[in-house]
Amino acid sequence: MKKKPKILIVKSKYNSPEGLYISACDELERRKINFQTNVRSIFCNGAFEIPVTIARNINKFDAAIAIGIIIRGETPNFNLISQAITNGIMELSILHKKPIGNAILTCLNFNQAEKREHKGKEAVEAVLNVLNPHTDLKISKKDAKLYSFIRTLK
């Protein structure tokens, strides 16, 4: 049996993303990942601080989950913050060669955010599939032969 991955969850306090956090935690529990030994949650003030918080801790973990909510206001700040966070998370993931699940919602209002609370679960699923890509990937012999044939055509 493979050892369970060590997962870092970084959640912003601003805009109360508790539903996303619960969704992610429920999925980790469903996958039997022990919170006492394999999961650490760190809370930061806002979503903008999530990438640097991950950066300061990523070496101790196999993967991370970023959780937050950004609601569009009346200024262009929404677009700038959202893009900076996305770029930061992607750069960290590539630099450290570790998956970072992005459950930072960018919504027009809280109603939209509430309807997307399942994105925490999806971020966990994405990270675990990157860490162990063979769990859900089952290719038939016929498809494997077809893929092998297509590769010879290149």
Side-chain angles (χ1 to χ4, degrees), residues 23-151:
S23 167
C25 292
D26 286 349
E27 183 62 16
L28 288 167
E29 189 174 294
R30 190 182 77 72
R31 302 276 188 119
K32 298 187 180 4
I33 296 176
N34 187 314
F35 273 78
Q36 297 295 322
T37 58
N38 293 70
V39 179
R40 179 173 178 211
S41 295
I42 299 175
F43 306 101
C44 57
N45 284 336
F48 191 72
E49 291 78 31
I50 290 174
V52 73
T53 304
I54 291 172
R56 290 180 58 128
N57 294 279
I58 192 97
N59 291 329
K60 302 171 200 155
F61 297 90
D62 300 310
I65 309 292
I67 296 176
I69 298 173
I70 304 168
I71 303 294
R72 181 183 292 277
E74 296 179 15
T75 66
N77 200 32
F78 171 86
N79 296 331
L80 300 171
I81 295 290
S82 300
Q83 192 62 57
I85 293 167
T86 301
N87 291 345
I89 288 172
M90 184 55 69
E91 287 175 22
L92 284 169
S93 183
I94 292 169
L95 177 68
H96 294 280
K97 296 176 180 62
K98 295 181 180 185
I100 301 173
N102 188 353
I104 300 174
L105 303 182
T106 51
C107 301
L108 300 177
N109 54 55
F110 284 102
N111 189 37
Q112 284 184 342
E114 193 174 278
K115 290 179 181 175
R116 290 165 177 77
E117 288 179 344
H118 64 281
K119 296 296 183 183
K121 173 186 183 244
E122 290 178 6
V124 170
E125 290 171 338
V127 159
L128 295 178
N129 285 339
V130 170
L131 288 174
N132 192 6
H134 303 293
T135 23
D136 295 321
L137 185 62
K138 298 214 185 319
I139 299 174
S140 69
K141 287 183 181 179
K142 180 181 173 184
D143 288 342
K145 286 180 183 178
L146 178 61
Y147 177 69
S148 181
F149 173 73
I150 291 170
R151 288 183 55 204

